[in-house]
Amino acid sequence: MSSKTFYLETFGCQMNVHDSEKVVGTLLQEGYRQVETVEQADLVLYNTCSIRDKAEQKVFNRLSDYKKYKKQGKTFGVLGCVAQQEGEKIFERAPYVSLVAGSASYHKLPQMLKQLENAQLENAQLEKVRIESAILEAGNSPTRKPETENLVRITGLDDRETDKCFETEFTARTNPHRGYITIIEGCDKFCSYCVVPYTRGKERSRTSQSVLAEARQMADLGYTEIQLLGQNVNSYKDSEGNPSRRKTFAELLAAVGEVPGIRRVRFTTSHPRDFGRDIVDAIDAVPTLCDHVHLPVQSGSTRMLDAMQRLYTRDQYLERIAWMKSAKREISITTDMIVGFPGETESDFAETLSLLDEVGYDAVFAFKYSPRPNTPSIKLEDAIPDQEKARRLDVLMSRQREVQITRYKKYIGTKCEVMVEGRNETRAQWIGRTTHNKTLNFVIPPTTNQTADPGAHATANPKAGSYVPVVVTGSFPNSLLGELVV
Ligand code: SAM
Ligand code: SF4
């Protein structure tokens, strides 16, 4: 068993979750062993998020604990967006951190780990020599060195110039049935409120060949669901060497959907400006592409969209919604919204509210605007007080709840195929997910249920990762309830 242990905690979005799977795979390959707690670890890593102030604060709260851990000889590393954003300033705020690396540098992670290990070894040897010579010279114990002296500091802070993607064959996926594949990293959109272009570097796409090879490899391993990831998957540009084999995003999506063994393909996130009709055509043509599109709008007011530098108007956004509504299958639409952007008037906000009814979203992820370092909108005047942002968020979420109640009710009586995700023992229900990305919890009807006839129908229990038909019997604002069809 390896003696080098690490603990990794992840904050933030799916991109971070998947980056962590790749970081874990890399560390395992470098001879480290993953442990469950900070206490058990030699190397403690935080993969951080800085999209909103609250997310950023979380990592500094964690790091405030480490004086006590440092005494136990642990090494700390900050990865991800806070690392890239704060850079070497992290060493000032948290002097015991030894590694600071943004996601654009992960391709150099094996080298950084070696540098870290070598520097620590060298330090330990120097310290040994220092102690031995002090004892020899003075005949007594050497004075204690300040705790921050000789700290190892390794940085991976590639700026926006990197062309490299973090590709590794050692991804340690946490779910054996569905998994992520990054197709594009970074972002060139520069929405005025957003840190991502500064923290994740410039847009760079993988080749379609490499993405498809990974999809086939996952299918061979038994994966049936794949989610293509990127901050803006719609601006995917195939970097495949042979121009005749280059694929658009819609073509790549369709090709992943046609990989034998793959039953469901999802993608996130889309940007309305780059969202083409060909994506809806692909969904129409390839049955494995899921009936769900997450299309962040941010605001229903064209004036606010302009201030946010989103590069589309409300009408253009609604045009994309119309494409989806005219698809052969019913596509479930979800979105992100920001309330309280500087200068947002009551009438701008009312336009956002009216969009909820007009589109009929199945889920809305809404956030209070959080001013972020380096972004153009931090300089905007006319800030909305936090209390007012909170009020608008409340109003928006209550209105959306009503929309969802109506939308989810419509499923009652319909039959849906779900992928089984597990079991909720407390509620004695199975947890499933529909192609629309809705949670559909279900029970097994009494005739085949084990409890009705213990032992006799043990095989009736659905396995995690299997696909089963479920008839919807009830609805809630965020989930459905059903019964397995036997
Ligand atoms: N690339 C995606 C897009 O264009 O929508 C998502 C990026 S971000 C990780 C996810 C969401 O966080 C955004 O859609 C936006 O609603 C929200 N967000 C980003 N910056 C924010 C900020 N400064 N304050 C509040 N919410 C923010
Ligand atoms: Fe941020 Fe805009 Fe890029 Fe999304 S598209 S990551 S919101 S800059």
Side-chain angles (χ1 to χ4, degrees):
M1 205 194 289
S2 171
S3 59
K4 301 188 288 185
T5 54
F6 76 96
Y7 168 84
L8 172 67
E9 184 175 355
T10 307
F11 302 89
C13 64
Q14 288 141 315
M15 288 290 284
N16 263 13
V17 170
H18 185 45
D19 280 349
S20 284
E21 292 179 335
K22 293 193 260 183
V23 168
V24 168
T26 307
L27 280 151
L28 295 175
Q29 189 58 23
E30 293 301 311
Y32 284 78
R33 181 164 56 87
Q34 190 171 15
V35 291
E36 298 288 308
T37 61
V38 175
E39 282 72 17
Q40 296 168 299
D42 302 318
L43 174 63
V44 179
L45 296 172
Y46 296 113
N47 187 4
T48 61
C49 168
S50 66
I51 200 81
R52 284 168 291 276
D53 186 53
K54 248 191 191 160
E56 186 180 329
Q57 289 319 316
K58 278 189 194 157
V59 66
F60 287 108
N61 289 344
R62 289 288 189 287
L63 288 173
S64 60
D65 257 6
Y66 55 96
K67 238 183 166 168
K68 119 177 152 209
Y69 290 128
K70 187 70 199 173
K71 286 199 183 115
Q72 297 165 13
K74 297 188 194 302
T75 303
F76 290 84
V78 179
L79 307 178
C81 293
V82 176
Q84 187 65 46
Q85 181 186 290
E86 297 298 303
E88 301 199 353
K89 278 191 269 169
I90 291 187
F91 296 131
E92 288 160 32
R93 238 173 125 174
Y96 298 98
V97 169
S98 298
L99 171 69
V100 170
S103 64
S105 307
Y106 290 166
H107 60 99
K108 292 193 300 206
L109 202 58
Q111 292 97 297
M112 288 191 277
L113 289 169
K114 282 273 169 325
Q115 266 181 293
L116 188 62
E117 287 169 16
N118 290 343
Q120 283 176 326
L121 204 65
E122 208 174 297
N123 252 357
Q125 280 163 352
L126 284 174
E127 183 61 2
K128 194 168 160 234
V129 171
R130 188 182 75 88
I131 292 173
E132 282 169 358
S133 50
I135 291 170
L136 274 180
E137 279 166 28
N140 55 17
S141 318
T143 48
R144 250 178 77 98
K145 283 180 26 170
E147 275 172 351
T148 51
E149 208 177 288
N150 276 354
L151 277 173
V152 175
R153 284 171 174 181
I154 309 292
T155 53
L157 296 168
D158 276 3
D159 56 16
R160 290 188 45 79
E161 294 321 304
T162 187
D163 283 325
K164 289 229 166 75
C165 288
F166 181 29
E167 294 198 40
T168 168
E169 53 189 301
F170 305 116
T171 307
R173 291 194 166 84
T174 42
N175 185 305
H177 314 293
R178 58 186 158 89
Y180 298 120
I181 299 184
T182 309
I183 63 164
I184 178 169
E185 294 186 26
C187 182
D188 285 346
K189 278 288 178 284
F190 289 96
C191 301
S192 67
Y193 50 82
C194 183
V195 287
V196 170
Y198 310 94
T199 58
R200 287 189 164 270
K202 71 176 178 190
E203 246 173 42
R204 49 212 192 270
S205 299
R206 289 174 64 187
T207 65
S208 52
Q209 263 199 323
S210 139
V211 171
L212 284 166
E214 193 168 349
R216 286 186 207 107
Q217 195 188 36
M218 285 173 70
D220 289 345
L221 289 168
Y223 284 85
T224 58
E225 182 176 318
I226 286 178
Q227 184 159 355
L228 302 182
L229 279 188
Q231 289 300 337
N232 175 8
V233 287
N234 308 147
S235 68
Y236 174 79
K237 277 176 206 69
D238 195 354
S239 51
E240 168 59 47
N242 180 346
S244 68
R245 289 212 300 241
R246 282 185 195 153
K247 294 193 188 312
T248 61
F249 171 65
E251 287 166 348
L252 177 64
L253 188 62
V256 173
E258 278 156 4
V259 168
I262 296 303
R263 293 181 65 159
R264 283 184 175 181
V265 183
R266 304 184 186 279
F267 55 97
T268 197
T269 297
S270 286
H271 189 292
R273 162 83 176 211
D274 302 328
F275 185 90
R277 203 178 187 140
D278 56 349
I279 299 172
V280 181
D281 294 340
I283 296 177
D284 272 345
V286 183
T288 50
L289 304 188
C290 286
D291 310 350
H292 169 226
V293 172
H294 183 66
L295 194 63
V297 66
Q298 315 301 356
S299 170
S301 146
T302 296
R303 201 180 74 84
M304 281 295 103
L305 290 173
D306 193 39
M308 291 174 170
Q309 295 171 21
R310 284 293 285 181
L311 312 172
Y312 54 85
T313 61
R314 177 187 172 107
D315 286 347
Q316 284 166 334
Y317 180 82
L318 285 171
E319 187 186 19
R320 276 118 186 102
I321 298 292
W323 295 341
M324 287 190 262
K325 291 200 170 169
S326 64
K328 290 183 195 150
R329 293 181 260 160
E330 194 201 336
I331 297 178
S332 163
I333 305 166
T334 57
T335 199
D336 293 348
M337 285 178 167
I338 296 177
V339 296
F341 189 79
E344 184 188 66
T345 60
E346 271 302 329
S347 109
D348 292 316
F349 179 56
E351 288 195 69
T352 298
L353 291 179
S354 72
L355 202 65
L356 300 180
D357 302 312
E358 202 163 340
V359 176
Y361 293 109
D362 277 339
V364 172
F365 301 88
F367 312 100
K368 291 190 285 180
Y369 166 70
S370 167
R372 304 308 296 131
N374 304 321
T375 60
S377 69
I378 200 162
K379 298 197 194 92
L380 291 179
E381 286 169 10
D382 213 2
I384 310 290
D386 195 57
Q387 220 180 352
E388 177 57 15
K389 285 187 209 168
R391 186 195 69 81
R392 291 183 191 180
L393 187 65
D394 257 14
V395 172
L396 187 138
M397 291 321 290
S398 319
R399 180 91 156 249
Q400 177 56 22
R401 199 181 141 85
E402 296 307 314
V403 172
Q404 278 176 224
I405 288 173
T406 314
R407 288 197 56 80
Y408 277 56
K409 243 187 210 153
K410 284 196 197 147
Y411 286 87
I412 296 178
T414 64
K415 195 163 90 175
C416 300
E417 183 185 61
V418 301
M419 187 209 229
V420 180
E421 292 191 339
R423 173 144 172 100
N424 182 331
E425 289 299 345
T426 327
R427 292 198 186 150
Q429 289 170 354
W430 298 91
I431 306 160
R433 187 161 296 273
T434 69
T435 170
H436 289 125
N437 208 27
K438 290 186 171 61
T439 301
L440 169 44
N441 298 314
F442 63 97
V443 293
I444 303 177
T447 45
T448 51
N449 197 336
Q450 269 191 298
T451 46
D453 185 3
H457 298 284
T459 52
N461 281 346
K463 284 203 183 76
S466 63
Y467 292 82
V468 295
V470 174
V471 66
V472 180
T473 55
S475 73
F476 302 98
N478 287 302
S479 66
L480 299 168
L481 188 64
E483 230 174 51
L484 181 78
V485 179
V486 287

